[in-house]
Amino acid sequence: MRAIRTASAALLATAAVALSAPAAPAAPAAPAEDGTGRNITSFGFSVTPRTVAPGGTVTLTSDGCEVPSVTVTSGVFDTVTLTEGRPGSATVDADARIGAEYEIAFDCKGERGTTTLTVAPAHTTPPTPPTPHKGVKAGFGGSTGSDALGAAELTAGAALIAGALGTAVVLTRRRAGGRP
């Protein structure tokens, strides 16, 4: 009981110190970001893939814009117009600098959303996906390799079932008071 009182008092003291501390000055407001390097807008937009080789193709998508078209601009590909929420594609300039990040701007009726596209070197051979492991096949017993049971297995199984039933009958009669 004493430990609970001590813990409660310590918690209250910590809360009192935290509330009496002067507040830190507020930082100037920066454009809100969603953790992926793009700013938050009233419409959605994306670039897929986010990393591409020079000369590669990216897919541009936008949704939630109330006007029929969204204009997408960048210094690494030609301007693309996305019509009525349909995705579009753009080919990255072949002379794009490897390792550079380029800004991609989506314009929806004057509201601008931005994200980045990273240019990476092209792979000479595509990576090989790992081979999935196959699971164990259970329930296929027997050494003959066939699914059918032989006469010996059927006879042994029937004998075991009969023995179990006979034992159950004998034990039930003993409990009921009548000995066989």
Side-chain angles (χ1 to χ4, degrees), residues 39-172:
N39 55 344
I40 299 174
T41 59
S42 64
F43 66 99
F45 56 91
S46 67
V47 176
T48 308
R50 298 280 309 263
T51 302
V52 67
T57 302
V58 293
T59 301
L60 308 166
T61 57
S62 174
D63 61 351
C65 186
E66 296 176 1
V67 295
S69 64
V70 174
T71 305
V72 184
T73 57
S74 177
V76 74
F77 55 76
D78 294 332
T79 300
V80 175
T81 301
L82 305 178
T83 308
E84 296 179 356
R86 291 188 191 105
S89 63
T91 303
V92 175
D93 294 338
D95 61 348
R97 256 183 325 135
I98 292 175
E101 283 191 356
Y102 291 90
E103 182 179 85
I104 312 297
F106 291 78
D107 188 319
C108 169
K109 65 180 177 177
E111 183 179 8
R112 185 176 171 185
T114 61
T115 188
T116 57
L117 176 69
T118 304
V119 178
H123 296 286
T124 54
T125 57
T128 305
T131 305
H133 297 289
K134 294 184 178 182
V136 176
K137 290 185 178 180
F140 293 102
S143 60
T144 61
S146 70
D147 291 336
L149 293 176
E153 288 93 354
L154 289 174
T155 304
L160 287 172
I161 291 172
L165 288 174
T167 304
V169 168
V170 169
L171 291 176
T172 304

